[in-house]
Amino acid sequence: MAALMAIAAGLVLAGLVVLTFTDVILRYFLSDPLRGRQDIVEMGMVLSVLLAAPYTWRIGGHISVDLYSGLAFPALERARELLMRISVAGVFCLIAWRAWLAAEDAALFNEATNMIAIAHRPFILAIMAMAALHAVLIVLEYFLDPSPSDDKGGSK
């Protein structure tokens, strides 16, 4: 699931690159930039970052600081990893909950981007869904991996 989300993030990012390249060419040669390109890029980056987050977690691609190399007892290390995963999942659940509240406000106030009025609500709901899915994947991976890991999910 995380790999598919990362592929989708890459496709969104590639589309944004093509859009920006096209805008630069049109702006330079025809003095006619694409209207709303910045709005599309802003909303696309939201999707790209959140789609890539679970895969980044899985491969340990985030920035981290190692305070120690690991606990001497495997059972204690496994408990530490579970606590860490529950904490991170809790943060993503908080993001999902706050996104739910923000989606209600966006619908109430008809929030949209400035240039071409892309509604914020679908993107906020996407943030909510991806944050909730990421929280579930973080905890689920713990139970699917029978041994403590030194190279996955926050242990790097």
Side-chain angles (χ1 to χ4, degrees):
M1 177 65 87
L4 291 176
M5 291 173 72
I7 289 170
L11 291 174
V12 169
L13 193 58
L16 296 176
V17 167
V18 169
L19 180 70
T20 302
F21 178 77
T22 303
D23 181 59
V24 168
I25 295 299
L26 290 174
R27 181 183 309 262
Y28 184 76
F29 290 112
L30 303 176
S31 296
D32 188 24
L34 294 173
R35 185 173 183 272
R37 186 232 9 120
Q38 183 174 346
D39 290 353
I40 295 169
V41 169
E42 287 174 1
M43 297 295 107
M45 287 305 296
V46 167
L47 293 177
S48 183
V49 167
L50 285 165
L51 282 168
Y55 186 73
T56 304
W57 169 269
R58 177 173 285 164
I59 65 168
H62 53 278
I63 297 172
S64 64
V65 176
D66 291 335
L67 298 176
Y68 62 92
S69 60
L71 298 175
F73 304 103
L76 196 53
E77 177 65 24
R78 191 88 170 131
R80 184 209 53 88
E81 186 170 334
L82 178 61
L83 179 63
M84 182 261 314
R85 285 178 179 267
I86 289 172
S87 299
V88 172
V91 169
F92 277 99
C93 286
L94 181 62
I95 291 170
W97 173 64
R98 295 297 301 166
W100 176 262
L101 298 176
E104 291 176 354
D105 288 345
L108 180 65
F109 298 113
N110 291 324
E111 293 178 5
T113 59
N114 292 330
M115 291 294 293
I116 57 175
I118 300 171
H120 285 174
R121 188 168 193 267
F123 292 92
I124 295 171
L125 290 174
I127 290 169
M128 180 197 70
M130 287 184 265
L133 180 61
H134 192 176
V136 169
L137 288 174
I138 287 171
V139 175
L140 189 61
E141 283 179 350
Y142 172 84
F143 293 105
L144 295 178
D145 183 17
S147 63
S149 62
D150 290 331
D151 60 347
K152 290 185 181 178
S155 300
K156 188 173 180 181

